[in-house]
């Protein structure tokens, strides 16, 4: 299946698309499956089924209410759930639109070619598995199992991780990892010997001061945190928001610092300077728990607020004032670690600076700062040891980046390019629940990597850009129709939450566990699947901790007692998991590995003449490209706007709601236009573009077009505009905030993109 150009296929599909209607087909296959193989629908008269929301990664637990005919009526929060406290956010409430969306992938598809035209053909699951088995075995024979890589996201990912590890490939990465959490985790691990994971253990409900840097709580619907921030606002607490954009949370803050983008580290270092020089830091805490204070104190002397004013454009007086507010509230001050923390290529150092600031304020392990979370330990099901692959993601990423904790998708795709001549070639991709063409940067490179693959499988609920590049497309059931691993995320109290199928999967979609197991059996991995139904695994796991599926179907969430205190006692001896056993203000690991042991400010340059910095981010009603097509959420926001400062509008002669295109410094012009919103809420040197729009994924199935019809061609894709990626040396994190665009009031008829 390798002799075609996938890019051509997309062009063919797009050209043939206009005016073709969809005809959704219901299939009886899954009904049979459930009657014969599954027991997943609650068989009692109960109409309340436990779920874990997957509209975003906060994974709130809730209840699905349905009538006797299996029509879902509503989804609400589970009162016992610490992620949601019984309330779902508006996105989560609208989650059932994912189930009802008639643009969903409906049947397994395989690519076929007829008279030079490529298209997809609907097939049975067994036919799709035939193709997968044949091609995965062929890649193994030709290159080794390691050359088949897995890219995944969300709760469905672990099913395919298990499959790949059992087969013998550990070449895998989570596209969001290198952009979202990897640099932050590295920065905190280097400082405290512990990462933060999700949800972050920030004790906002007891805090007096919260500092948010490029952190959009409220647009990022981190439910529990949004609720705690609301109580902080109600209590009259201090909220200091640092953001070039007047975000939702900035509008509720006591202070907004509209920083010059790319200079955040300068501000953080100057805050340290003030805290230390004005003796506002927590001396007892620093003396007892930290290592390297004298070195840090000397190191930050040059980073005065007056110096930082010239770099950040924030007046020195405001830097002094906010540092004093933070110091006065300490240790009940949280400098929030944020998410999506890969920005400018020095992001481990920037998040290290955030970790160090919190240490100076004495907030780690303190009430109103960061609590010590606890997590329920669930035993894993028994299976033979995974075979040891000859090479893995570590050979691709870990050797380059000492603090890499997972595969860097961009680097895995580098090894998938035709020009890659090294020993760790990627020749096949298995992509589960992620769309790399929207979720990771450098579209041109990704397309070349995709074109160079001998086999691609896509598992997803919706057709997106990546679907058009697949050889086999497998329709996955939505979170409301499937069973997944138990949620055991750490929190104030250890807990477990169950996602149970509320209804049978629509069309011919199937749950990820079922798909992974069936492929595993085709590949001869029977020893790794000694169960027939994933429910058996969960029941066994729950019984090891004194619960059961029976109980969890009734309760949805179960809380367990803590084993250790949530906060440090006054003067308590405490051993941190670092080389020195202390919070390392001077990192001995970073020093040993040749990185800066303390954060050093480095300029990232200025916005090129004639361009504006591209700032992208979420809207409150949407999470990913996939959620945009959800009819409930789409109703709330169908089209994005480009935020433009009035000064910029004046220069370009723009009017509110005018249609414009964007062009990046490499000459790439956006595929679609966007309407302008002129607002003082964005700095004059930047524009803001909501993430996930500009979808151009279309596939031909049996001569008809399938697409996300509510989002196709609406707005501009930020990923399409991003051409410059700054790599964080410690982790491989892919910073995408050093990208620029200019505004075009008319679309050029021909565009040239420089390579
Ligand atoms: S925060 Fe909202 S969208 Fe995210 S998991 Fe919770 S309810 Fe769902």
């Amino acid at each position: 299946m390798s002799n075609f150009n996938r890019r051509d296929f997309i062009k063919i599909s797009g050209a043939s698309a206009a005016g073709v209607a969809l005809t959704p087909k219901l299939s009886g296959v899954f009904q049979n499956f459930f009657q014969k193989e599954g027991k997943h629908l609650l068989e009692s008269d109960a109409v309340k089924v436990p779920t874990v929301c997957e509209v975003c990664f906060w994974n709130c637990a809730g209840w699905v209410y349905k009538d006797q005919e299996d029509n879902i009526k509503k989804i609400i929060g589970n009162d016992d759930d610490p992620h949601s406290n019984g309330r779902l956010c508006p996105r989560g409430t609208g989650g059932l639109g994912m189930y009802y969306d008639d643009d969903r992938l409906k049947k397994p598809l395989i690519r076929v070619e007829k008279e030079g035209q490529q298209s997809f053909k609907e097939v049975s699951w067994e036919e799709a598995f035939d193709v997968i088995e044949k091609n995965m075995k062929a890649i193994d024979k030709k290159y080794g199992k390691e050359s088949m890589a897995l890219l995944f996201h969300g709760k469905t990912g672990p099913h395919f991780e298990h499959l790949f590890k059992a087969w013998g490939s550990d070449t895998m990465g989570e596209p969001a990892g290198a952009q979202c959490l990897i640099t932050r985790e590295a920065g905190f691990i280097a400082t405290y010997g512990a990462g933060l994971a999700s949800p972050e253990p920030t004790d906002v409900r007891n805090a007096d001061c919260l500092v948010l840097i490029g952190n959009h709580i409220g647009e990022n619907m981190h439910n529990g945190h949004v609720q705690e921030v609301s109580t902080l606002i109600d209590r009259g607490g201090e909220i200091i928001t640092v953001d070039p954009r007047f975000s939702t949370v900035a509008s509720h803050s006591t202070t907004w610092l509209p920083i010059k983008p790319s200079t955040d580290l300068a501000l953080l270092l100057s805050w340290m300077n003030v805290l230390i020089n004005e003796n506002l830091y927590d001396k007892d805490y620093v003396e007892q728990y930290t290592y390297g204070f004298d070195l840090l104190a000397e190191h930050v002397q040059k980073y005065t607020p007056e110096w930082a004013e010239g770099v950040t454009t924030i007046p020195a007086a405001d830097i002094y004032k906010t540092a004093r507010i933070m110091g006065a509230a300490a240790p009940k001050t949280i400098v929030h670690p944020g998410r999506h923390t890969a920005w400018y290529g020095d992001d481990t150092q920037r998040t290290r600076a955030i970790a160090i600031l919190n240490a100076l304020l004495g907030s780690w392990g303190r009430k109103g700062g960061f609590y010590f979370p606890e997590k329920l330990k669930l035993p894993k099901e028994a299976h033979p040891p995974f075979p040891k692959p000859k090479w893995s993601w570590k050979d691709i990423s870990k050797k380059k980046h000492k603090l890499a904790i997972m595969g860097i998708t961009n680097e895995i795709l580098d090894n998938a390019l035709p020009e890659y001549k090294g020993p760790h070639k990627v020749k096949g991709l298995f992509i589960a629940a992620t769309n790399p063409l929207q979720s990771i940067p450098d579209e041109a490179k990704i397309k070349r990597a995709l074109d160079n693959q001998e086999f691609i499988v896509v598992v997803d609920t919706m057709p997106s850009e990546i679907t058009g590049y697949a050889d086999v497309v497998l329709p996955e059931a939505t979170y409301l129709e499937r069973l997944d691993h138990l949620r055991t995320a750490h929190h104030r109290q250890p807990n477990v939450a169950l996602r149970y199928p509320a209804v049978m999967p629509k069309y011919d979609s199937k749950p990820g566990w079922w798909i992974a197991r069936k492929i595993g059996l085709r590949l001869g991995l029977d020893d790794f699947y000694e169960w027939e139904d994933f429910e058996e695994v969960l029941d066994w796991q729950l019984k090891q901790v004194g619960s059961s599926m029976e109980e969890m179907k009734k309760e949805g969430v179960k809380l367990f007692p803590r084993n250790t205190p949530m906060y440090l006692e006054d003067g308590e001896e405490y051993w941190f998991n670092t080389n020195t056993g202390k919070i390392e203000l001077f990192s001995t690991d970073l020093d040993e590995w040749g990185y800066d042991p303390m954060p050093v400010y480095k300029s990232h340059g200025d916005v090129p003449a004639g361009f504006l910095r591209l700032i992208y981010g979420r809207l409150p009603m949407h999470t990913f490209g996939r959620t945009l097509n959800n009819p409930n959420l789409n109703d709330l926001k169908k089209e994005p706007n480009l935020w433009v400062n009035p000064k910029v509008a004046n220069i370009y002669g723009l009017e509110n709601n005018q249609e414009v295109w964007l062009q990046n410094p490499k000459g790439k012009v956006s595929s679609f236009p966007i309407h302008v919103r002129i607002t003082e809420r964005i700095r004059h040197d930047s524009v803001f573009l909501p993430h996930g729009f500009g979808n151009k994924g279309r596939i031909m199935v049996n001569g008809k077009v399938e697409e996300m019809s509510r989002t196709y061609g609406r707005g501009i894709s930020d990923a399409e505009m991003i051409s410059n990626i700054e790599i964080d040396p410690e982790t491989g994190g892919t910073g995408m905030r050093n990208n620029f665009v200019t505004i075009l009031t008319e679309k050029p008829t021909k565009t040239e993109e420089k390579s």
Side-chain angles (χ1 to χ4, degrees), residues 53-60 83-84 87-93 221-224 623:
C53 179
E54 193 158 82
V55 181
C56 89
F57 32 75
W58 202 253
N59 290 146
C60 297
H83 291 232
S84 70
R87 285 180 281 165
L88 298 187
C89 80
R91 277 187 210 165
T93 308
M221 280 292 175
H222 299 170
N223 191 351
T623 312

Side-chain angles (χ1 to χ4, degrees), residues 40 159 381 483-486 513-514 517 531-539 541:
H40 286 161
H159 300 300
E381 79 269 25
L483 193 66
D484 275 314
H485 288 85
L486 295 158
W513 67 262
W514 184 91
R517 180 176 179 275
W531 42 269
E532 290 197 3
D533 188 321
F534 194 58
E535 186 166 349
E536 296 164 39
V537 177
L538 301 191
D539 194 46
Q541 284 186 303

Side-chain angles (χ1 to χ4, degrees), residues 653-674:
L654 303 175
E655 289 179 8
N656 244 332
N657 214 30
Q658 182 174 340
E659 193 175 69
V660 297
W661 284 259
L662 296 179
Q663 183 170 26
N664 73 16
K666 288 195 170 175
K668 171 79 180 172
V669 176
S670 59
S671 298
F672 305 113
I674 190 167

Side-chain angles (χ1 to χ4, degrees), residues 530-577:
E530 289 192 338
W531 42 269
E532 290 197 3
D533 188 321
F534 194 58
E535 186 166 349
E536 296 164 39
V537 177
L538 301 191
D539 194 46
W540 177 83
Q541 284 186 303
L542 286 165
K543 282 179 176 149
Q544 309 313 301
V545 294
S547 183
S548 64
M549 280 299 283
E550 195 186 347
E551 180 184 44
M552 290 303 292
K553 284 180 205 172
K554 287 189 206 131
E555 306 296 332
V557 172
K558 185 174 166 87
L559 299 171
F560 293 79
R562 285 184 68 94
N563 295 310
T564 56
M566 189 144 48
Y567 309 111
L568 290 166
E569 303 283 333
D570 276 350
E572 177 188 339
E573 291 289 314
Y574 194 86
W575 179 266
F576 291 85
N577 190 25

Side-chain angles (χ1 to χ4, degrees), residues 243-301:
D243 202 319
R245 184 171 69 92
F246 193 64
S247 61
T248 302
V249 73
S251 70
H252 292 283
S253 297
T254 43
T255 306
W256 173 44
L257 302 177
I259 193 168
K260 179 181 173 183
S262 83
T263 66
D264 307 73
L265 184 50
L267 175 66
L268 293 163
L269 289 161
S270 66
W271 272 339
M272 289 180 209
N273 175 296
V274 179
L275 290 177
I276 291 173
N277 288 344
E278 295 196 359
N279 285 317
L280 299 171
Y281 66 97
D282 188 329
K283 286 181 213 58
D284 292 344
Y285 182 95
V286 165
E287 191 171 322
Q288 181 172 2
Y289 296 119
T290 70
Y291 170 80
F293 175 74
D294 291 344
L295 291 167
L296 178 74
E298 194 186 331
H299 175 69
V300 299
Q301 285 313 305

